[in-house]
Amino acid sequence: MFFLHVSSALCLRDWYFGQRLCSPVFVSLQVRVIPLELQKLFAHLLLLDQLAASTTDLTDSFGWSSNEEMSQQDVQELNRILFSALESSLVGTSGSDLIQRLYHGTVVNQIVCKECGNVSEKQEDFLDLTVSVNGVSGLEEALWNMYVEEELFEGNNLYCCGLCNNLVRAAKSAKLRKLPPFLTVSLLRFSFDLTKCERYKEMGRYTFPVRINLRPFCEKAERADSEYEYELFSVIIHKGGCYGGHYHVYVKDIDHLGNWEAPEEEAKPKLLNKDVKPPDSTLEREDPLSVLKAILSREESNCVLVDQLGQKLLDKIGVSWNKKFRKQYGPIGKFLQSHTDTFLLASNGTRVHLKLAGSAAPEPSQSADGEKMVDLSSPSDEHHWFDLNDSIVRPIREKDIEKQFQGKESAYMLFYRKLELQRPAEAKENPRYKVPVHLLQEIEEENGKLTQTRLEFDASSNTVEVRLHLASHYRVENGALQLCSSPQESVLQLPFDRRKTVGDFRLAVYQMQDQWEGDMALTVAKSLPAGLHLYDMLLDDSQSLYSAGVSDRSDLFVWNGREVGGVSIQTGEDWEPVLLTLLKPMEVVEDAAPGSGLCESPRGVSAGTTLGALRLALGREEALLCQEERAQGSPVSGWRVFPQDDMQKTIRELALRDGDSILILEPQALDTSQFTMNGDVVTVTTPSECRWLLVSYSPGGVAGGQEEGKTVQIPATGNMLLSEVKLKAMEELQLQDQLSEYSLRQVDRNGKLLPPGIPSHTFTHGKSQHSEHWF
């Protein structure tokens, strides 16, 4: 990917912004589009409200194809190509010598004859100094080898002196003659292994100073020391190997354009660190002002280094400023500046003091211990460093540069500037400095479009659809709210921005319901199996819908907050309705579940209702209430009778849930064969084969004969044998003595006798009907 080194552009930016590069003559020349696009890119980097600026237009001005744009370029080579293209594009303009003045220097190579003292020299121009890394400990040693040590010609390697006209001993050396205002140093990290015939990257330790004096490496001249003093202001870093990798850059904020704050320490568990204090339970952790005041008040001098304040806050409350407060209050430095009545800075803004309440604050010019004080409303003169890594910009400390001395991720290019150089006062904290008016207007338009796009995105991502349930379309039944009209009439869909307040939402509902009279309450609702139930009421009109827990597809009930249809409403989790299945012995066959012998009906019951109140509401004060305890795979269900003590317990206390069954049994029902009671357990025979059989007897032996017969009702289950049915019928008919003389024959719907049944078969063998008649 194309990599533009921003630190090389500081003075270029000022010159480009001061030129009228947009003239028709200038633009007509294709080669001169490069500085125009560079000017535009600088403006975007400074003023456009987005994380990254595109370099597509600039690379297009180079004539690069898409393949060249996507392939990684060596930043050292690219630096030379870019500056060469700029020099060519500026020919014939007032800035034709700009690159030469700012970045070019001169090296002189000398050979001194040891016999006659004749000096032969050759002067060379350089854009950057290329220094060796292999076998060298650092930059100063490399410069010493290049510009201080001499190469001697002696023995078999003599020098032919033009003045002596003979082979003589001589010394060869190189010196820096002219130093540019901005010095670029390229480190030869990549080498070639002649043994293995492959390239490799030098990853050994290679140091370089933040400040350097180049006098020892220059020709002797009567110049001030300031001419040789340089300071590091940028480092290009390469991460990877010799066949690929990634570039990022450390940059010193010369113009104070960045918003710097102390970087977070790389947090690691400090389980054995006794100095870390646990979070103070008495500390108002949600108020950053109280937290910082508490930290400073516990210091002996009520002050602390600003760089240490973030770490002390992390130790105190267990979470960093960035994670806890930055989203709401901004960087810690900005927060301190907004509370100048509480805090003061000392030592050029590196130390923060707490102003004690009730005591005279120290004068801004001097503190009690003699330190110079700086008002926090004025920025510090200290320059800070940033790491620019694609769209991510993070603050770093100057000491972090040492991490790039060695390793797979290490320094690749160094940029120094003369220490005596001073930026114009107008450029400080002013990103609009010398930006042409037409670019300012263009960027303002683009920022307006970006703002509008973000607003539209925020609106779409924060718009939720709330379902409003109107109280006039509901009735209270069985502990829940039930619809008494169609859902289309009773439920309204209202799209709304969840960042707005509850009061704004209430006003919107009022405007929709122009016929509404009296108070309006908005209550969070939820559809349950038993019906609609109400929970928390939205009372704080200043609270946002998001903070109130209203999300997309949320249900809100619109009512007067007291009653619905004259019935008061119990709200909250404690009164959630539970949908129970109530069972009772069938009275009408058509109402029963097929073959169950029991009628079932669903009923919603409030979880706060007692079991005794439920029994009273059913009008069965003497009935037994039973809870099912069915054994898996068994055709017989067991029901535990609720003891009398459970009558005072609520549905929630009894842990009854939606779908649970309760059997309501009158005491006289225990007299039937379907129900048997053993202790507190009632056994109900409820398979689908349960029948009452009609068995008829005629002395004449013919069904429907003239002689009067008898008919009895015999209870039977599906697994009962016909021989057992016959035995029970003979007992009822008092014909035990004649058991072997009779057989059971089924009577069809027409009264016709069917062949005798086989005694070893069950009575449901084959097809059967709900009512059976046997003869």
Side-chain angles (χ1 to χ4, degrees):
M1 293 296 292
F2 178 78
F3 182 90
L4 177 65
H5 179 42
V6 294
S7 63
S8 299
L10 195 59
C11 288
L12 288 176
R13 181 201 76 171
D14 294 350
W15 185 86
Y16 287 139
F17 285 166
Q19 305 304 308
R20 298 184 58 84
L21 301 181
C22 55
S23 64
V25 177
F26 193 95
V27 177
S28 65
L29 302 176
Q30 180 63 30
V31 69
R32 297 190 178 178
V33 174
I34 297 176
L36 183 63
E37 294 298 340
L38 195 59
Q39 180 190 62
K40 182 179 178 181
L41 180 60
F42 287 153
H44 282 200
L45 286 170
L46 286 168
L47 301 172
L48 195 61
D49 186 18
Q50 60 183 12
L51 292 178
S54 173
T55 59
T56 302
D57 293 340
L58 182 60
T59 53
D60 288 345
S61 69
F62 290 169
W64 282 2
S65 65
S66 59
N67 292 334
E68 290 171 315
E69 291 176 1
M70 297 306 296
S71 61
Q72 187 181 59
Q73 308 290 331
D74 182 80
V75 68
Q76 295 177 356
E77 184 64 23
L78 178 61
N79 192 62
R80 297 189 182 102
I81 293 174
L82 176 62
F83 277 31
S84 175
L86 289 174
E87 285 186 290
S88 300
S89 66
L90 295 176
V91 173
T93 70
S94 60
S96 58
D97 63 340
L98 180 68
I99 303 298
Q100 182 72 31
R101 286 189 291 106
L102 294 180
Y103 294 97
H104 282 264
T106 304
V107 173
V108 58
N109 295 297
Q110 296 179 339
I111 299 179
V112 179
C113 177
K114 294 293 185 179
E115 300 296 333
C116 65
N118 179 49
V119 178
S120 174
E121 66 178 32
K122 180 180 179 181
Q123 184 172 290
E124 295 179 356
D125 182 80
F126 70 87
L127 179 63
D128 59 353
L129 296 180
T130 303
V131 297
S132 176
V133 174
N134 186 19
V136 182
S137 63
L139 175 63
E140 291 170 304
E141 182 181 348
L143 293 176
W144 185 273
N145 295 339
M146 294 171 62
Y147 302 116
V148 176
E149 291 188 351
E150 296 180 339
E151 179 184 356
L152 296 178
F153 295 97
E154 56 186 1
N156 295 329
N157 185 26
L158 296 175
Y159 169 71
C160 181
C161 178
L163 189 60
C164 297
N165 198 22
N166 195 9
L167 295 176
V168 296
R169 293 183 304 109
K172 180 181 179 181
S173 63
K175 293 289 183 181
L176 295 171
R177 172 166 289 177
K178 176 193 171 187
L179 294 175
F182 296 91
L183 178 64
T184 305
V185 180
S186 299
L187 308 183
L188 292 177
R189 285 282 183 185
F190 300 116
S191 300
F192 188 81
D193 190 332
L194 296 176
T195 304
K196 297 181 179 180
C197 291
E198 63 180 13
R199 296 179 67 202
Y200 67 96
K201 180 179 179 180
E202 296 283 355
M203 300 185 185
R205 182 176 177 82
Y206 189 90
T207 63
F208 49 88
V210 175
R211 289 192 179 184
I212 187 171
N213 189 314
L214 297 179
R215 181 184 285 274
F217 316 114
C218 298
E219 282 187 316
K220 293 182 179 180
E222 297 296 330
R223 297 177 184 174
D225 284 342
S226 59
E227 291 284 332
Y228 302 98
E229 292 287 342
Y230 281 79
E231 66 171 349
L232 184 71
F233 73 101
S234 182
V235 182
I236 292 182
I237 299 158
H238 180 265
K239 180 180 181 180
C242 57
Y243 296 105
H246 175 70
Y247 291 112
H248 63 106
V249 59
Y250 287 176
V251 177
K252 193 173 186 179
D253 188 9
I254 302 297
D255 282 349
H256 295 274
L257 299 179
N259 187 11
W260 193 92
E261 66 176 31
E264 290 187 44
E265 298 294 333
E266 296 182 2
K268 293 183 179 180
K270 301 179 181 180
L271 300 178
L272 301 179
N273 191 346
K274 298 180 180 179
D275 295 332
V276 178
K277 300 178 182 179
D280 190 349
S281 58
T282 63
L283 199 62
E284 297 182 32
R285 297 180 52 176
E286 300 303 323
D287 181 12
L289 185 62
S290 299
V291 174
L292 297 179
K293 288 173 64 177
I295 292 173
L296 292 173
S297 64
R298 296 184 182 184
E299 298 293 327
E300 293 183 2
S301 57
N302 291 330
C303 67
V304 70
L305 292 174
V306 174
D307 290 347
Q308 297 177 359
L309 188 58
Q311 183 62 42
K312 288 184 177 293
L313 182 140
L314 177 64
D315 294 341
K316 178 61 65 177
I317 66 174
V319 63
S320 67
W321 175 276
N322 284 352
K323 292 181 179 179
K324 183 71 174 177
F325 301 116
R326 182 183 177 115
K327 185 176 181 180
Q328 182 175 358
Y329 298 99
I332 192 170
K334 181 179 179 181
F335 180 81
L336 293 175
Q337 291 182 14
S338 64
H339 292 81
T340 54
D341 57 334
T342 307
F343 305 108
L344 281 179
L345 284 183
S347 302
N348 292 327
T350 61
R351 185 182 296 273
V352 60
H353 285 252
L354 175 66
K355 290 182 178 180
L356 298 179
S359 61
E363 294 294 329
S365 60
Q366 190 173 17
S367 67
D369 55 2
E371 291 182 309
K372 291 184 178 180
M373 305 295 291
V374 179
D375 193 334
L376 284 175
S377 59
S378 300
S380 169
D381 291 334
E382 182 182 356
H383 300 291
H384 295 295
W385 286 80
F386 289 91
D387 178 13
L388 278 66
N389 193 346
D390 290 339
S391 62
I392 300 174
V393 180
R394 65 181 184 90
I396 61 171
R397 301 184 189 278
E398 191 174 81
K399 64 180 182 181
D400 292 333
I401 298 175
E402 298 179 5
K403 299 178 182 178
Q404 310 304 331
F405 285 169
Q406 61 190 355
K408 192 173 183 179
E409 181 179 2
S410 50
Y412 192 57
M413 289 186 73
L414 310 176
F415 294 83
Y416 288 88
R417 65 194 298 271
K418 282 190 175 183
L419 196 60
E420 64 180 3
L421 292 178
Q422 296 294 326
R423 294 286 295 151
E426 298 82 1
K428 191 173 183 180
E429 297 183 348
N430 181 16
R432 304 168 69 92
Y433 178 64
K434 284 193 175 182
V435 180
V437 176
H438 74 279
L439 282 180
L440 290 175
Q441 294 174 347
E442 177 183 330
I443 291 176
E444 285 179 2
E445 293 177 0
E446 291 189 32
N447 282 336
K449 294 178 181 178
L450 287 172
T451 301
Q452 183 62 31
T453 301
R454 288 172 182 145
L455 289 175
E456 293 174 356
F457 175 79
D458 289 343
S460 62
S461 60
N462 286 285
T463 298
V464 295
E465 191 172 80
V466 182
R467 294 183 292 194
L468 299 176
H469 299 260
L470 305 179
S472 57
H473 296 273
Y474 281 84
R475 69 178 185 275
V476 181
E477 183 177 325
N478 295 332
L481 293 166
Q482 309 294 340
L483 278 172
C484 54
S485 60
S486 65
Q488 291 78 9
E489 296 178 357
S490 60
V491 181
L492 303 179
Q493 309 286 346
L494 177 60
F496 206 77
D497 191 336
R498 63 178 181 174
R499 295 169 298 180
K500 293 186 177 180
T501 65
V502 174
D504 296 332
F505 185 79
R506 194 188 309 276
L507 180 60
V509 177
Y510 265 121
Q511 293 173 350
M512 291 178 61
Q513 300 295 311
D514 51 0
Q515 302 297 326
W516 187 278
E517 295 181 359
D519 296 335
M520 175 184 289
L522 301 175
T523 305
V524 178
K526 183 178 180 182
S527 293
L528 301 175
L532 193 70
H533 183 64
L534 307 184
Y535 292 87
D536 298 327
M537 191 178 296
L538 305 184
L539 300 174
D540 187 358
D541 281 357
S542 63
Q543 187 181 30
S544 67
L545 289 184
Y546 177 79
S547 301
V550 177
S551 58
D552 193 38
R553 309 295 294 175
S554 289
D555 294 285
L556 291 181
F557 192 70
V558 183
W559 60 315
N560 58 17
R562 297 181 300 275
E563 47 79 26
V564 173
V567 180
S568 61
I569 302 296
Q570 301 286 355
T571 63
E573 293 184 359
D574 293 339
W575 296 93
E576 282 184 348
V578 179
L579 186 62
L580 300 177
T581 300
L582 303 183
L583 301 175
K584 58 182 178 179
M586 68 176 184
E587 297 177 359
V588 182
V589 172
E590 287 74 15
D591 294 340
S596 67
L598 299 173
C599 297
E600 66 177 45
S601 61
R603 185 182 180 101
V605 182
S606 175
T609 303
T610 63
L611 196 60
L614 173 62
R615 184 171 63 176
L616 185 62
L618 294 172
R620 304 290 183 92
E621 299 183 19
E622 302 298 328
L624 300 177
L625 300 184
C626 311
Q627 186 176 14
E628 186 175 17
E629 293 182 346
R630 179 187 291 273
Q632 186 174 3
S634 173
V636 178
S637 59
W639 296 78
R640 185 184 63 83
V641 179
F642 287 105
Q644 189 62 34
D645 292 343
D646 284 354
M647 295 296 111
Q648 306 303 318
K649 294 183 179 179
T650 64
I651 300 298
R652 179 179 295 277
E653 291 171 342
L654 293 172
L656 293 176
R657 300 179 180 179
D658 292 319
D660 285 354
S661 298
I662 292 181
L663 176 63
I664 305 170
L665 202 60
E666 298 292 346
Q668 58 268 25
L670 297 174
D671 297 337
T672 65
S673 60
Q674 187 178 0
F675 304 98
T676 58
M677 186 170 182
N678 183 13
D680 63 345
V681 176
V682 174
T683 302
V684 183
T685 304
T686 59
S688 61
E689 300 87 357
C690 180
R691 299 288 186 273
W692 286 93
L693 301 180
L694 296 178
V695 180
S696 299
Y697 163 73
S698 176
V702 179
Q706 295 180 356
E707 298 185 32
E708 185 179 356
K710 298 180 180 180
T711 299
V712 294
Q713 195 175 37
I714 304 299
T717 60
N719 57 0
M720 182 177 290
L721 298 176
L722 288 180
S723 59
E724 296 175 352
V725 175
K726 176 184 174 182
L727 181 60
K728 286 188 175 183
M730 297 295 284
E731 291 177 353
E732 291 290 333
L733 295 170
Q734 298 179 356
L735 299 174
Q736 296 92 328
D737 297 339
Q738 306 175 39
L739 180 62
S740 59
E741 300 178 8
Y742 295 94
S743 63
L744 281 177
R745 300 176 67 181
Q746 191 174 10
V747 181
D748 65 10
R749 294 180 178 179
N750 298 321
K752 183 180 178 180
L753 288 176
L754 300 180
I758 301 175
S760 61
H761 283 184
T762 62
F763 91 96
T764 57
H765 188 79
K767 294 184 179 180
S768 62
Q769 303 173 18
H770 287 294
S771 60
E772 295 286 347
H773 190 183
W774 293 75
F775 182 78

